[in-house]
Amino acid sequence: MSISIPEVTLNDGVTLPVIGFGTYKLNGNEGAVAINSAIDAGYRLIDTAYNYENEGTVGEAVRRSSISRGELRITSKLPGRYQAYDKAVITIQESLYRANLDYYDLYLIHWPNPKQNNYVEAWQALIDAKKWGLIRSIGVCNFLPEHIERLEKETGTKPSINQIELHPFFNQEQQRIWHEENNIKTESWSPLARASDILQNETIKKIADHHNKTISQVILRWHYQLGAIPIPKSSSPERQLENISIFDFSLNETEMSTIAELTRPDGRINDQDPAAYEEF
């Protein structure tokens, strides 16, 4: 069984499915099998990163798939240690070689690392790589509005997407509003938060029971109705299919608000505040 997923159009005209598949810690043959299973289930947006050390695994899954490359949207990310312009250009090329791909559909700066102050030249490298045909759409992860404003001011180019931590315990309302006002799409990493905790949540369970759906399905539907693109990860074919079976029901305003009210000021999973946190 394969589910057809609706698509959205980014500010540069590139289209993305409204839900994708995360691949963190899916490595080697087992990882390739899991990613291939996700593609069979209907996922067309596959998210990896240089730092996940599995771009090759993603590329192998793409090669094994019966789905054509043109139907897939593959994302990777530039690590903090290679944000200097020349290093960034080489790393983008290396990313492609690892995956044995001709281009990435979406390439993101993984973290702003503001103390290093290299993210603008990293962004220029992404702009140029797009001109050279190595990337179709360019974006960022974990950037605050002030970081994005600086990118646009200094290069004239704004990101198509900002991938941020977003889940019911940390709903990023202000950041999402800012994205909407600036025509930047929100993508959600860790959309199910700490799954072990959130999948026991009684508030969401009541909503799920009402719709005869699972807690995961309700949370992912919540993301979709917020206009965010969640990228859940699972190696289980059953769970993969469950996570994209969210288009046959909808949440009403009260249910959306009830889930939004679960947010907490300290809701980040690992306290990774982009104003200070750095990842290399």
Side-chain angles (χ1 to χ4, degrees), residues 45-206:
L45 172 61
I46 311 295
D47 182 270
T48 181
Y50 193 96
N51 270 353
Y52 299 172
E53 298 185 345
N54 69 350
E55 290 167 316
T57 299
V58 169
E60 178 62 21
V62 169
R63 279 189 295 286
R64 292 181 190 182
S65 172
S66 59
I67 301 302
S68 74
R69 170 69 183 94
E71 287 184 57
L72 299 171
R73 301 287 180 269
I74 313 295
T75 305
S76 195
K77 310 181 192 85
L78 178 76
R81 63 190 178 280
Y82 298 136
Q83 285 189 1
Y85 179 87
D86 291 345
K87 288 181 179 176
V89 168
I90 288 170
T91 303
I92 293 163
Q93 294 166 342
E94 181 66 29
S95 259
L96 288 166
Y97 299 157
R98 287 177 173 199
N100 196 17
L101 295 173
D102 294 329
Y103 65 93
Y104 278 106
D105 297 275
L106 184 62
Y107 204 84
L108 313 174
I109 300 175
H110 210 150
W111 284 86
N113 286 17
K115 288 181 214 156
Q116 308 304 312
N117 196 28
N118 289 326
Y119 64 87
V120 175
E121 56 182 291
W123 185 240
Q124 189 61 56
L126 266 65
I127 292 169
D128 290 345
K130 183 181 177 184
K131 284 180 193 155
W132 302 330
L134 304 181
I135 307 167
R136 292 182 64 220
S137 186
I138 56 176
V140 294
C141 298
N142 307 301
F143 273 50
L144 298 173
E146 67 210 54
H147 303 139
I148 295 174
E149 284 171 342
R150 187 175 165 207
L151 291 184
E152 187 175 15
K153 183 180 172 203
E154 295 194 23
T155 69
T157 302
K158 72 165 72 169
S160 62
I161 213 161
N162 188 12
Q163 187 185 115
I164 56 175
E165 179 177 355
L166 203 171
H167 45 75
F169 296 154
F170 195 67
N171 73 30
Q172 295 263 38
E173 184 179 14
Q174 292 309 310
Q175 178 96 24
R176 285 188 291 104
I177 290 169
W178 189 89
H179 286 168
E180 253 175 73
E181 289 170 348
N182 288 275
N183 194 21
I184 294 167
K185 202 70 186 162
T186 302
E187 196 171 33
S188 316
W189 63 260
S190 286
L192 300 174
R194 284 194 183 92
S196 54
D197 293 345
I198 209 163
L199 298 183
Q200 313 300 320
N201 188 277
E202 285 301 319
T203 302
I204 305 175
K205 187 175 186 304
K206 281 181 193 162

